[in-house]
């Protein structure tokens, strides 16, 4: 299998960092925009889309700032890849943006970026940030 390449996207979002953090760090928040359903048991999160389930471990979080989910296999062993959602606040303007860090195979990057753009658009609708 080809190595995946890390990429980053930044999306301006009109929201308080505290509210935004609820939508990127909790199963109920994530299920409103990221996946059809999200369940958690401790640090393990199950993301459900249509008939697909993917499992990840919340490997790090900093309240109000960022969360990192590392994909795990069926034995809950950490995989090589993760995605991270980081809230950035401009010190001067106080503008809020969401930085997405993810991995994809080189030829899948445009499609992956498009998927994130669609999901962040859903997040903005949920936040009333359109």
């Amino acid at each position: 299998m080809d190595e995946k390449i890390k990429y980053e996207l930044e999306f301006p979002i009109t929201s308080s960092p505290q509210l935004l953090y609820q939508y990127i760090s909790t199963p109920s928040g994530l299920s409103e925009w990221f996946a059809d359903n999200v369940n958690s048991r401790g640090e393990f999160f199950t993301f459900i889309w249509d008939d697909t389930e993917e499992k990840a471990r919340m490997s790090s979080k900093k309240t109000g700032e960022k969360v990192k989910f590392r994909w795990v296999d069926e034995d809950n062993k950490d995989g090589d890849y993760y995605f991270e959602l980081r809230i950035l606040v401009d010190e001067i303007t106080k503008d809020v943006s969401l930085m997405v860090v993810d991995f994809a195979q080189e030829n899948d990057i445009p499609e992956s970026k498009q998927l994130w753009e669609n999901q962040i658009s859903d997040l903005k609708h949920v936040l009333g940030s359109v």
Side-chain angles (χ1 to χ4, degrees):
M1 192 162 109
D2 293 335
E3 280 291 305
K4 292 185 177 182
I5 297 167
K6 180 178 173 180
Y7 65 92
E8 295 184 356
L9 300 168
E10 187 175 338
F11 300 94
I13 295 193
T14 309
S15 168
S16 72
Q18 297 78 12
L19 179 63
L20 182 54
Y21 185 75
Q22 295 304 309
Y23 281 96
I24 66 170
S25 64
T26 63
S28 60
L30 286 160
S31 64
E32 289 206 41
W33 67 276
F34 183 72
D36 297 334
N37 197 4
V38 181
N39 300 313
S40 70
R41 286 204 171 75
E43 63 185 3
F44 291 98
F45 283 63
T46 304
F47 299 96
I48 301 159
W49 295 273
D50 294 326
D51 300 327
T52 310
E53 277 191 19
E54 295 288 338
K55 205 165 176 188
R57 182 174 67 81
M58 187 184 279
S59 58
S60 70
K61 71 176 178 179
K62 193 166 185 183
T63 303
E65 288 184 31
K66 69 175 186 170
V67 289
K68 182 193 258 181
F69 292 97
R70 184 165 293 279
W71 298 111
V72 297
D73 64 18
E74 52 278 346
D75 300 320
N76 290 340
K77 299 269 189 293
D78 283 359
D80 295 334
Y81 301 107
Y82 64 87
F83 70 96
E84 182 176 62
L85 303 169
R86 209 168 38 228
I87 300 170
L88 306 173
V89 181
D90 185 285
E91 288 184 23
I92 297 168
T93 64
K94 301 297 181 209
D95 289 344
V96 175
S97 56
L98 186 64
M99 175 73 76
V100 174
V101 179
D102 199 3
F103 293 82
Q105 291 178 348
E106 193 167 3
N107 56 344
D108 291 339
I109 286 179
E111 190 179 320
S112 294
K113 286 182 174 180
Q114 183 64 55
L115 183 61
W116 275 112
E117 286 172 16
N118 292 341
Q119 288 177 302
I120 298 299
S121 173
D122 290 348
L123 173 60
K124 287 180 176 182
H125 278 283
V126 168
L127 289 166
S129 163
V130 254

